[in-house]
Amino acid sequence: MVVNLSIQKTINNYMLNIVLFGPPGAGKGTQSAKLVDTFQLVHLSTGDIFRYNIKNETELGKLAKTYIDKGELVPDEVTISMLEKEVEQIKEAKGFIFDGFPRTVNQANALDAFLKNRNAEISMMLALDVDEDELVKRLLIRGKDSGRADDSDESIIRNRIKVYNEQTAIAAEYYNQQGKYHGINGIGSIDEIFNRLSAIIVESTR
Ligand code: ADP
């Protein structure tokens, strides 16, 4: 997608904090990489941070693993303080893409309070919509390629989708009430979906 120069300038002067939302396997990681390149944002994925800690066998990683292996959420207080520490380490940013966070209303509240303290706020939630059969299919393929344990077992995948429906999906309502929710069809080619996301970002920063 060609983002014309005047729009790019507007975006550059704008603190753009995006919550990229959607069920496991919706394509948040893939789209984040493209959004980071185009809009010069810092990508923060709680899943990636947990996996980094698991790989390095930190205390946080050991704790998170006990939940992740079952397809459950890591407790809010652990996740919130981890995320806040990550944000604080970044000295300069035009904005952030929060990927996999917030995953509960409690986390959304904490993020709002945290940003408010820094005179910032969430600009928008972009929510990728993908049906369950497609999610399971994508995650099983990802599990084969990546070796991620939580992607290799269909019952764990189904549990993650259940947890998403029961605990996470309502976070969308939280942003909807603030007028910040945008639903996007998450089925299509990577570029098609990226163009849908970019169009909303560009439109909202005009
Ligand atoms: P996906 O979106 O594909 O499920 P992620 O990489 O975002 O995967 O997260 C992997 C796992 O890490 C989740 O299933 C969950 O156990 C844990 N996790 C990630 N983010 C959070 C969060 N914000 N709150 C609680 N647990 C989380």
Side-chain angles (χ1 to χ4, degrees), residues 63-83:
L63 175 73
K65 191 175 179 341
T66 61
Y67 296 93
I68 293 176
D69 281 354
K70 291 184 271 182
E72 290 169 7
L73 294 184
V74 178
D76 278 344
E77 61 277 15
V78 177
T79 308
I80 290 166
S81 73
M82 173 185 86
L83 190 275

Side-chain angles (χ1 to χ4, degrees), residues 24 28 46-47 51 68 72 74 100 103 107 142 148 160:
K28 301 185 293 288
T46 40
R51 280 185 289 279
I68 293 176
E72 290 169 7
V74 178
R103 252 181 164 92
Q107 292 180 13
R142 185 168 81 182
R148 259 178 72 168
R160 280 156 62 203

